[in-house]
Amino acid sequence: MKKSLAIVLMGVLLLLSACGGGSKETSGEKKEKEVKIGITQIVEHPSLDAAREGFIAALKDAGYEEGKNLKLDYQNAQGDMNTNLSIAQKLVSDKNDLILAIATPSAQAVLKNTKEIPVLFTAITDPVGAQLVKSLDKPGGNATGTSDTHPDAIKNTIAAIKKFVPNAKKVGIIYNNGEPNSVVNVKNAKKAIEAEGLESVETTITAGSEVKQAAESLVGRVDVLYIPKDNTVVAALESVITVANAKDIPTFVGEGDSVKRGTFASYGLNYHDLGYSTGKMAVEILKGKKPSEIPVGFPEKLELVINKKAAAEEGITLTEDLIKDAKIVGE
């Protein structure tokens, strides 16, 4: 009798197991697998922030959302290279499914620490020169992403100096020569300045605390300022704006977000769009594609951005003809 009862009970248990009756979670209730993405950003400023926000927006549009099936670990080095390296090491040791590196130093630090985890970069001036990829069309390793270098951006911005400040002769440039992206940008800017018959006057800095003094050192020596896409200088941009406004020095910059903050003009790109494109690459990788199979992306369009308030502060007279094709901010 006892033996028969045991056999019956065993049969019931097997039946419950087969039907899922012994589980608290049915197949329809299974929690979706969580994707872990680490984000490292060299410094905080609007362009890089916008790229990060665009990246997250693309993930959300593809169904990856924090609190649902996505865990993000965002870290900012605040311009400190030792912190930048520590962040990279942490994101790698945490075994993230993918890492987004925003700006060249962040990407270099991450790739120094992993050859296995897929790495995406954005807001990079020269991915090949920075040794992030073997080539733009065939990245080759575990990294790919988007560059913020439109071939006509610097050339068009320098040409705008002659358009808006026709009597200008000398262009002051402030940059951190420790940033590889800045060195490339300044090299290209000097070529464009020379092509326009202008002369460049450079001053370099190593930290944001030096930016105001650098701007002041150019007063009386230059007719206009050009600020390239330099993370250190852009993070302390208000220091430049204060000097430029006080001394009526028109200031041209490498991207449109800096115009919104109070500089005069730029042929810039939309960093949110750039980050969004990078986010779409992330979705491809999460679905199985290898970074080596995805070519490096570039901004598709440029727009002339002019700050009307900055024009008045920096002594520039605008006419309807001068601004007819521009995006106007600061009204």
Side-chain angles (χ1 to χ4, degrees):
M1 179 72 179
K2 288 181 180 178
K3 187 175 181 181
S4 300
L5 183 59
I7 291 170
V8 171
L9 286 170
M10 187 178 291
V12 171
L13 288 171
L14 287 170
L15 182 63
L16 285 170
S17 177
C19 296
S23 171
K24 293 180 181 179
E25 186 177 77
T26 67
S27 59
E29 295 171 337
K30 282 182 182 176
K31 189 176 180 181
E32 193 173 349
K33 181 187 173 185
E34 186 177 67
V35 171
K36 290 171 59 180
I37 296 180
I39 301 177
T40 174
Q41 184 171 317
I42 189 60
V43 73
E44 186 175 6
H45 69 63
S47 295
L48 302 187
D49 294 344
R52 184 183 75 251
E53 290 160 5
F55 177 83
I56 295 170
L59 289 173
K60 185 175 181 180
D61 287 349
Y64 295 95
E65 194 169 349
E66 279 193 279
K68 178 183 172 187
N69 58 355
L70 174 64
K71 182 178 180 181
L72 292 177
D73 182 2
Y74 165 58
Q75 303 286 331
N76 194 306
Q78 299 300 343
D80 187 283
M81 291 304 156
N82 290 326
T83 303
N84 180 49
L85 184 58
S86 297
I87 289 170
Q89 292 168 340
K90 177 186 183 298
L91 295 181
V92 170
S93 65
D94 286 347
K95 299 188 183 335
N96 282 283
D97 297 300
L98 183 147
I99 297 173
L100 171 69
I102 305 175
T104 302
S106 299
Q108 289 176 324
V110 172
L111 287 171
K112 185 177 180 180
N113 284 276
T114 182
K115 301 299 178 190
E116 288 80 36
I117 297 174
V119 177
L120 281 171
F121 53 74
T122 190
I124 305 290
T125 297
D126 184 5
V128 176
Q131 299 183 329
L132 304 178
V133 295
K134 291 179 181 178
S135 74
L136 300 175
D137 292 331
K138 297 179 179 179
N142 62 316
T144 189
T146 55
S147 168
D148 58 4
T149 301
H150 190 289
D152 296 326
I154 292 175
K155 181 179 69 176
N156 289 359
T157 300
I158 299 302
I161 292 174
K162 294 291 290 287
K163 176 180 177 181
F164 292 99
V165 193
N167 295 324
K169 291 182 174 58
K170 294 186 178 182
V171 181
I173 305 175
I174 306 171
Y175 72 105
N176 180 354
N177 60 2
E179 286 192 31
N181 55 299
S182 298
V183 174
V184 173
N185 279 320
V186 170
K187 181 181 178 182
N188 292 331
K190 288 172 69 176
K191 286 181 182 177
I193 288 168
E194 186 177 339
E196 291 292 338
L198 300 168
E199 180 184 344
S200 61
V201 180
E202 302 168 47
T203 182
T204 61
I205 54 93
T206 59
S209 58
E210 301 169 10
V211 171
K212 186 175 181 181
Q213 185 178 354
E216 289 172 338
S217 74
L218 292 171
V219 174
R221 298 168 57 204
V222 302
D223 303 299
V224 301
L225 290 174
Y226 174 71
I227 306 301
K229 288 180 289 187
D230 180 292
N231 295 309
T232 308
V233 180
V234 173
L237 190 64
E238 281 67 29
S239 298
V240 177
I241 293 169
T242 298
V243 174
N245 289 352
K247 301 297 182 179
D248 286 349
I249 307 174
T251 303
F252 296 77
V253 289
E255 29 72 40
D257 287 312
S258 290
V259 179
K260 295 174 186 176
R261 290 167 68 186
T263 57
F264 170 57
S266 174
Y267 273 89
L269 58 111
N270 187 308
Y271 274 83
H272 188 279
D273 290 350
L274 194 71
Y276 193 94
S277 296
T278 317
K280 291 200 293 185
M281 291 178 176
V283 174
E284 290 185 74
I285 291 170
L286 293 173
K287 290 183 176 179
K289 204 163 187 179
K290 295 178 181 178
S292 59
E293 299 171 342
I294 304 174
V296 173
F298 290 87
E300 295 179 4
K301 60 181 181 179
L302 291 174
E303 60 182 356
L304 173 61
V305 185
I306 290 174
N307 188 313
K308 265 193 172 182
K309 184 178 179 182
E313 292 278 2
E314 297 174 2
I316 299 171
T317 301
L318 297 177
T319 65
E320 287 301 317
D321 187 57
L322 282 173
I323 63 175
K324 64 181 179 181
D325 297 320
K327 176 182 178 181
I328 305 299
V329 298
E331 292 187 279

